[in-house]
Amino acid sequence: EVQLVESGGGLVQPGGSLRLSCAASGFTFSAYEINWVRQAPGKGLEWISYISTRGITIYYADSVKGRFAISRDNAKNLLYLQMNSLRPEDTAVYYCARGDQKSVAFDIWGQGTMVTVSS
Amino acid sequence: EIVLTQSPGTLPLSPGERATLSCRASQSISSSYLAWYHQKPGQAPRLLIYGASNRASGIPDRFIGSGSGTDFTLTISRLEPEDFAVYYCQLYGSSPPVWSFGQGTKVEI
């Protein structure tokens, strides 16, 4: 079964750090671009980061640029999101989402991991 | 920055009815860069349509995407109980490379 499973979420104080992981299975992870998308409680979807198949090309949304870092380990089928200088407005469910090879859409999503930034 | 505006915000309908959801871009975009998703409570989004009109794998043919330029539409020909959800359109913008979502349309009973 093609699957993405996020982990690493939790409660963190403002200014703190957290690293999220996304474990891929059921497909050739190294052949796919991957993204992180978040959703604040009761709100819509916000794309926050992209990484190319070999990790050479990376993009960020302005809202996280300079604070978050995306990376991947193709040997371990893992995607990461290092989140630093966290703010209350970063509170959200964080999803990893696979880039569709036929288009620029996201064809497979994980179930999400909740990050709460609060004192 | 191109902004996507979805309408209506909420669409009250009954099973068996036709749903018409709108997604309008603030400037003309390539149809190749427009996708639709739906999201049920407590679940991750699911890709329905890519390239404005192509159904994703496993998506029933009652979901129909159309449009070009600045105006795009998702039509659900006959609503099934499992179709009541929030629907998002998504745009890929190449300069700079970003993906953005509309604010969503909730299809409710």
Side-chain angles (χ1 to χ4, degrees):
Chain A
E1 180 189 5
V2 174
Q3 196 170 222
L4 295 169
V5 178
E6 302 92 339
S7 60
L11 174 64
V12 60
Q13 292 189 337
S17 298
L18 209 57
R19 188 176 83 157
L20 305 183
S21 299
C22 170
S25 59
F27 65 97
T28 304
F29 179 69
S30 60
Y32 287 84
E33 302 161 350
I34 309 288
N35 298 265
W36 286 100
V37 178
R38 69 184 180 183
Q39 185 171 36
K43 303 297 185 182
L45 302 169
E46 180 190 16
W47 169 83
I48 57 171
S49 189
Y50 158 95
I51 188 166
S52 61
T53 55
R54 290 191 292 165
I56 294 172
T57 302
I58 287 172
Y59 305 127
Y60 297 101
D62 288 344
S63 57
V64 305
K65 200 173 295 182
R67 300 187 300 122
F68 290 12
I70 190 172
S71 62
R72 65 191 296 164
D73 185 336
N74 286 342
K76 296 181 178 179
N77 292 343
L78 286 170
L79 173 77
Y80 302 104
L81 185 69
Q82 177 66 44
M83 304 186 295
N84 300 324
S85 302
L86 282 161
R87 306 166 179 167
E89 56 265 36
D90 295 318
T91 295
V93 175
Y94 285 73
Y95 297 100
C96 54
R98 190 180 80 171
D100 177 25
Q101 290 184 326
K102 301 185 296 297
S103 72
V104 294
F106 303 160
D107 64 347
I108 300 294
W109 295 63
Q111 86 290 348
T113 188
M114 182 70 201
V115 172
T116 302
V117 184
S118 174
S119 54
Chain B
E1 179 190 348
I2 302 175
V3 176
L4 294 178
T5 302
Q6 292 186 241
S7 60
T10 304
L11 189 56
L13 292 168
S14 299
E17 291 191 298
R18 181 186 188 92
T20 302
L21 288 66
S22 172
C23 176
R24 178 163 291 177
S26 56
Q27 58 186 274
S28 184
I29 64 173
S30 168
S31 298
S32 299
Y33 295 161
L34 196 286
W36 288 92
Y37 302 80
H38 72 185
Q39 184 180 33
K40 300 176 187 178
Q43 296 186 19
R46 182 182 183 186
L47 176 65
L48 299 172
I49 300 288
Y50 64 92
S53 60
N54 302 286
R55 274 184 293 275
S57 176
I59 301 302
D61 59 8
R62 65 180 181 271
F63 291 93
I64 303 163
S66 62
S68 63
T70 60
D71 292 311
F72 297 87
T73 300
L74 176 68
T75 302
I76 310 170
S77 58
R78 285 179 56 87
L79 283 165
E80 297 287 343
E82 62 267 27
D83 299 336
F84 291 90
V86 180
Y87 289 77
Y88 295 96
C89 58
Q90 178 203 39
L91 163 71
Y92 168 72
S94 57
S95 298
V98 295
W99 285 260
S100 56
F101 293 88
Q103 81 278 20
T105 290
K106 183 177 183 180
V107 178
E108 63 179 24
I109 297 178

